[in-house]
């Protein structure tokens, strides 16, 4: 360290030390408790000393003792550095240990200040029980980063602010690593085609051209596509016409083509009036949710669940239950979708394993454990429920589930899954449905169940409902869709949703129930030792 820099460092050390001690002493005096004795009101009370009244005495004592006011010294240094002659004046001021202010800026510093400054700094060092000032400076430099004690720039030109290095590299200089995880915003259906198992989104015509499509998939898909042009029961036509007779004629009744041509028995006549109330309320709630930008939970509780519960009130829906699975994760880890070249450890082998790497944790938390919002499952009778529980005792704990989750729904076979997203949300709801269905596919393969049965799903994006159906091909999944399912933006579109939900419930208590009895129940009886 040069003598010039060392002297400037000493000036700053002395100023900071003395100012700190004086501030503590002054604060201690102000905080001393005072006795609050009652005084007669007739005797005038002396004025309480204020900071302003103490300043002249403090300045005089500082001047007599050779102490430096830190604030005033900094201001003088700043003014001299900004002036045209600041470079020369600063050198003189630092070298002689004195700083001139005000109209004396251009005059050379007065004599005597250098010796006073050195004596004061030496006295401070002795009072603290340390050596000379140079030793104190060197000790402090070792304890505190040197950038704190660097003197200000003394150049005559304009001063520039020191730019700290950026915490993160720029986009151009960043190098991608193999351990980098794919961000949520860039994961799309195209990316799922390279995962294990692969999920490819195709239209039905495209899927037929590229390979065989199981007949069960075609039958279910066409049963929803071949619904009549209108889905409103014909018996409710006069009710809607009466509703349109308002003073302002503001309610438009459905068109004639939006009614069923004839009663086909899909909606029981005894349930039609109650269904009309639910449909009208769902349309009003959906319109208000759309206007206010309501969150998914509001759409689910006021629109989606009331419509599904209405269908389950009908006779064919008594064997089906509605489940809220938004908090049900995909378990065990063996049935989670993998990236190429990646392998998830089994729950048994992961015991005692060290902490997961950052890449594994980010990937798993980002989207592989995503879940859908609602599911429809078979309502098992008590004897079948007991049989399943007995079979679970003979397998590993992480395998004791009939579906892709180990939560409260593990005793329920799922026949339909629904994923909700409000309108204009960035995240694609198809991803969550595809990941959930891929886990169901791996669950069937793990237990050796038949994988030819299609897996249907519905995506609700605001008003619009879309239908998807997944089936196996070449150890992967083909996700067929989207197909229009209905819309809550109108009364006719909401009746379409009820009509098609009723078809899916019929499929669940029919084809899916047969598959469950043949594949799952026979598997459970073997595990329970009851034979086939």
């Amino acid at each position: 360290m040069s003598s010039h820099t060392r002297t400037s460092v000493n000036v700053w050390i002395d100023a900071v030390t003395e100012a700190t001690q004086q501030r503590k002493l002054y604060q201690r005096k102000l905080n001393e408790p005072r006795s609050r004795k009652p005084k007669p009101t007739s005797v005038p009370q002396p004025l309480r000393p204020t900071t302003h009244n103490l300043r002249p005495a403090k300045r005089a004592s500082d001047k007599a003792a050779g102490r430096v006011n830190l604030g005033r010294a900094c201001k003088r240094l700043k003014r001299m550095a900004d002036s045209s002659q600041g470079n020369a004046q600063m050198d003189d001021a630092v070298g002689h240990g004195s700083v001139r202010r005000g109209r004396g800026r251009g005059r050379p510093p007065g004599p005597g200040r250098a010796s006073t400054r050195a004596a004061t700094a030496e006295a401070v060092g002795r009072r603290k029980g340390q050596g000379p000032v140079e030793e104190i400076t060197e000790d402090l430099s070792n304890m505190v980063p040197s950038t704190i004690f660097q003197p200000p720039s003394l150049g005559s030109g304009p001063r520039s602010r020191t730019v700290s290095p950026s915490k993160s590299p720029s986009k151009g200089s960043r190098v991608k690593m193999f351990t980098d995880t794919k961000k949520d915003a860039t994961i799309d259906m195209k990316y799922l085609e390279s995962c294990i198992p692969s999920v490819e989104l195709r239209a039905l015509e495209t899927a037929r051209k590229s390979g065989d499509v199981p007949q069960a998939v075609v039958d279910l898909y066409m049963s929803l596509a071949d619904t009549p042009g209108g889905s409103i029961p014909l018996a409710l036509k006069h009710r809607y016409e009466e509703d349109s007779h308002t003073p302002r004629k503001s309610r438009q009744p459905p068109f004639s083509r939006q009614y069923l041509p004839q009663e086909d028995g899909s909606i029981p006549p005894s349930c039609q009036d109650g269904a009309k109330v639910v449909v009208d309320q769902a349309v009003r709630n959906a319109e208000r949710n759309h206007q206010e930008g309501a969150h998914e939970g509001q759409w689910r509780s006021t629109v989606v669940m009331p419509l599904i519960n209405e269908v389950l009130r009908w006779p064919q829906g008594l064997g089906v239950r509605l489940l809220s699975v938004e908090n049900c994760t995909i378990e065990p880890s063996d049935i989670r979708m993998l990236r190429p070249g990646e392998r998830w450890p089994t729950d048994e082998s992961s015991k005692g394993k060290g902490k997961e790497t950052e890449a594994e944790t980010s990937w798993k938390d980002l989207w592989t454990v995503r879940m859908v919002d609602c599911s429809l499952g078979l309502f098992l009778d008590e004897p079948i429920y007991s049989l399943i529980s007995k079979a679970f005792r003979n397998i590993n704990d992480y395998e004791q589930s009939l579906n892709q989750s180990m939560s409260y729904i593990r005793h329920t076979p799922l026949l339909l899954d629904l994923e909700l997203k409000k309108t204009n949300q960035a995240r694609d709801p198809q991803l969550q449905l595809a990941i959930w269905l891929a886990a169901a596919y791996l669950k069937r393969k793990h237990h050796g169940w038949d994988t030819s049965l299609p897996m249907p799903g519905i995506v609700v994006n605001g008003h619009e409902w879309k239908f998807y159906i997944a089936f196996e091909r070449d150890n992967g999944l083909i996700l067929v869709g989207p197909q229009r399912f209905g819309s809550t933006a109108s009364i006719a579109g909401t009746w379409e949703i009820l009509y098609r939900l009723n078809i899916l419930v019929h499929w669940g208590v029919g084809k899916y129930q047969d598959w469950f009895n043949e594949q799952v129940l026979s598997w459970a009886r073997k595990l329970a030792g009851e034979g086939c």
Side-chain angles (χ1 to χ4, degrees), residues 80-155:
M80 294 178 65
D82 293 338
S83 64
S84 59
Q85 301 177 358
N87 197 17
Q89 293 180 14
M90 187 67 69
D91 290 340
D92 290 337
V94 174
H96 292 83
S98 61
V99 177
R100 304 286 296 179
R101 55 165 280 177
R103 57 195 176 186
R105 181 180 301 174
R107 297 198 300 261
R113 285 295 184 90
S115 57
T116 305
R117 174 76 52 158
T120 303
E122 220 172 294
V124 172
R126 295 193 191 98
R127 187 165 61 248
K128 291 181 174 293
Q130 301 178 6
V133 180
E134 288 78 12
E135 298 179 6
I136 302 173
T137 306
E138 187 173 356
D139 294 340
L140 290 176
S141 302
N142 295 332
M143 296 172 58
V144 187
S146 59
T147 54
I148 299 178
F149 296 95
Q150 289 180 359
S153 177
L154 304 178

Side-chain angles (χ1 to χ4, degrees), residues 371-389:
M371 66 294 295
V372 293
D373 292 276
C374 305
S375 293
L376 295 183
L378 293 179
F379 197 96
L380 301 182
D381 297 334
E382 190 61 33
I384 299 179
Y385 191 93
S386 301
L387 174 64
I388 297 297
S389 300

Side-chain angles (χ1 to χ4, degrees), residues 138-186:
E138 187 173 356
D139 294 340
L140 290 176
S141 302
N142 295 332
M143 296 172 58
V144 187
S146 59
T147 54
I148 299 178
F149 296 95
Q150 289 180 359
S153 177
L154 304 178
S156 58
R159 294 175 296 165
S160 60
R161 181 180 300 177
T162 303
V163 181
S164 59
S166 176
K167 296 183 179 179
S168 59
S170 61
K171 294 183 179 179
S173 61
R174 191 181 189 281
V175 180
K176 293 186 177 181
M177 307 294 292
F178 285 110
T179 56
D180 290 350
T181 56
K182 195 170 181 66
K183 299 301 181 182
D184 183 48
T186 60

Side-chain angles (χ1 to χ4, degrees), residues 374-431:
C374 305
S375 293
L376 295 183
L378 293 179
F379 197 96
L380 301 182
D381 297 334
E382 190 61 33
I384 299 179
Y385 191 93
S386 301
L387 174 64
I388 297 297
S389 300
K390 186 177 180 180
F392 283 167
R393 301 190 190 104
N394 299 320
I395 57 178
N396 297 321
D397 55 351
Y398 54 85
E399 297 177 309
Q400 298 177 6
S401 176
L402 297 178
N403 50 61
Q404 58 269 46
S405 180
M406 294 294 298
S407 60
Y408 80 99
I409 65 172
R410 63 193 186 100
H411 287 85
T412 304
L414 305 181
L415 61 95
L416 176 65
D417 303 302
L418 294 91
E419 167 59 21
L420 279 70
K421 279 291 176 291
K422 69 178 185 179
T423 309
N424 298 328
Q425 190 160 353
R427 184 178 296 172
D428 189 355
Q430 295 176 351
L431 291 173

Side-chain angles (χ1 to χ4, degrees), residues 479-509:
L479 187 63
V480 177
Q483 179 187 8
R484 173 180 167 81
F485 198 81
S487 174
T488 55
S490 63
I491 293 177
T494 308
W495 276 103
E496 289 182 23
I497 294 175
L498 289 184
Y499 193 92
R500 292 188 170 97
L501 281 175
N502 191 33
I503 294 176
L504 291 177
V505 171
H506 271 288
W507 176 85
V509 297

Side-chain angles (χ1 to χ4, degrees), residues 454-486:
M455 296 177 291
I458 297 175
V459 169
V460 182
N461 193 355
H463 284 299
E464 302 303 320
W465 293 45
K466 302 294 183 180
F467 176 73
Y468 296 83
I469 185 170
F471 64 92
E472 181 189 21
R473 177 188 289 177
D474 299 333
N475 294 325
L477 288 180
I478 301 296
L479 187 63
V480 177
Q483 179 187 8
R484 173 180 167 81
F485 198 81

